[in-house]
Each structure stands twice: as structure tokens, then as C-alpha cells.
Amino acid sequence: MSDSTDDDNSNSPKKHGYQDDALWNAIESTGALIIPDPVGEAKEGRPIGHSTHNLFVKCKKTKKLFLITARQESKVNLKVTSKALGVKELRLASADLVLEKLHSQKGCITCLSLFYDIDQSVQWVVEKSLLKQQPEWCLCAGCHDPLNHKQHNVTTLTQAQLSSILALHWAQKVEIDIEE
């Protein structure tokens, strides 16, 4: 038997909740650190200190998938967002769809989840003011229980680091005003 912890056992779930270590390896390859969330608290269901709030939605009519990334304090108006994207109606995606497409748990979705959208089936939608106002983003880098913020892992990435991790999604992101 090994002296290593449970998290080191290849048969146990990863400490970040993703299917493998590929995302963490990509983050670390940019020189960014992944650390336990120093705050570990939430206000109104949103982690304190994180830069973004994310919604995984689908168009009711076309079934097209979108990941909306906005500033943490933004109030995302799905009617305004639907109109800006030229779709009829957006609805939150099911937990099963989140797992299938982003390999994440509902409640623990960040733009980093797009790393696992290999077939590019999810359109990334980013709030314009997030891109203009925040050159660095503090993001959840994974967890086992999205409701327990004391065990989240976070990383702070520059937009350049994000663009290298999410190259295709970054290049094809749609920038819109979320609140209007």
C-alpha cells in the first residue's frame, strides 16, 4: 500500500471533479497556480472572490448550446441575451447535458469547462465589460461538490493564458452586453 493520499490514487475521483488531469495540466503549463479557494464562501449562491458567473443554456427551438460568461456581479437577462444572439428563447441546460458536453457538474461550470468541448458544440458568449474591465479572471478550477465552496480550487488567469487554454473557443467567442 502506498503512502500517498486518496487524491493520488488513480482509481479515485480527481480532486477537481473533471474526468482527467488534462485541464489542470493545461492551466499549469501557462505558469498559473491552482490553489484551494482562500475565501470558500458564497453570497446568493455565487462564490465570493471569483470573477465570473456562468450559465449553460440552450435555445428552446434550435437546441443550440451556449455558455454565457459574465462578471460575477452581473444580472444576466436571458431575454436580452436571446435577442443579442438571434435566438428565440434560452433555457438552462439539464445537469445531464452539462456533464455530457462540459464534463462538469451543474453549479460548478466555468469557462474552463469549455476545455472538454472538443467537438465545438457549445458557443461561448462573453460579456463585453468582463473582457474590458478584468484582465485577470479568478476562476473555479474544479470541485467535487459545487455547493461546498470550502473545497473549491481556484486559479487566476490572464486573458492571454485563457486564450491559450481555450484557443478555439477564444477565437470564436461572441461578445455581447448582458445587462440592458
Side-chain angles (χ1 to χ4, degrees):
M1 184 168 228
S2 165
D3 292 335
S4 64
T5 65
D6 291 349
D7 291 337
D8 293 333
N9 182 341
S10 61
N11 294 327
S12 70
K14 305 295 181 203
K15 60 187 168 189
H16 45 69
Y18 289 109
Q19 66 182 6
D20 57 33
D21 290 329
L23 175 58
W24 272 32
N25 293 341
I27 292 168
E28 290 170 342
S29 76
T30 70
L33 298 175
I34 301 168
I35 61 170
D37 189 334
V39 178
E41 295 178 22
K43 181 179 178 183
E44 298 176 10
R46 297 182 183 192
I48 297 171
H50 295 208
S51 302
T52 66
H53 180 62
N54 297 270
L55 296 172
F56 186 48
V57 297
K58 69 177 182 178
C59 175
K60 180 181 175 184
K61 184 176 181 180
T62 66
K63 309 299 184 211
K64 184 169 170 94
L65 302 171
F66 301 91
L67 178 66
I68 301 168
T69 301
R71 293 170 297 121
Q72 183 68 290
E73 63 275 5
S74 291
K75 304 286 189 235
V76 178
N77 182 328
L78 289 180
K79 287 184 181 182
V80 169
T81 304
S82 296
K83 195 175 203 178
L85 294 173
V87 298
K88 184 173 172 88
E89 183 180 349
L90 293 174
R91 293 192 174 183
L92 292 176
S94 69
D96 290 341
L97 196 55
V98 171
L99 189 58
E100 175 190 339
K101 295 296 182 179
L102 301 177
H103 301 277
S104 300
Q105 295 179 37
K106 196 169 186 176
C108 196
I109 302 166
T110 73
C111 60
L112 292 173
S113 304
L114 291 168
F115 181 83
Y116 290 105
D117 179 34
I118 305 303
D119 64 359
Q120 300 282 296
S121 62
V122 179
Q123 175 65 61
W124 190 21
V125 179
V126 184
E127 181 181 26
K128 283 181 183 177
S129 61
L130 173 64
L131 291 166
K132 290 178 186 171
Q133 296 173 9
Q134 294 184 298
E136 291 187 335
W137 299 0
C138 178
L139 305 167
C140 180
C143 58
H144 281 302
D145 179 358
L147 301 178
N148 179 356
H149 297 285
K150 294 186 187 307
Q151 52 82 52
H152 280 216
N153 298 293
V154 296
T155 188
T156 299
L157 298 168
T158 65
Q159 290 184 25
Q161 289 169 313
L162 268 173
S163 71
S164 72
I165 295 168
L166 304 173
L168 292 174
H169 283 89
W170 187 270
Q172 298 174 9
K173 70 186 174 299
V174 174
E175 300 175 25
I176 65 169
D177 292 315
I178 298 291
E179 299 178 304
E180 284 187 2

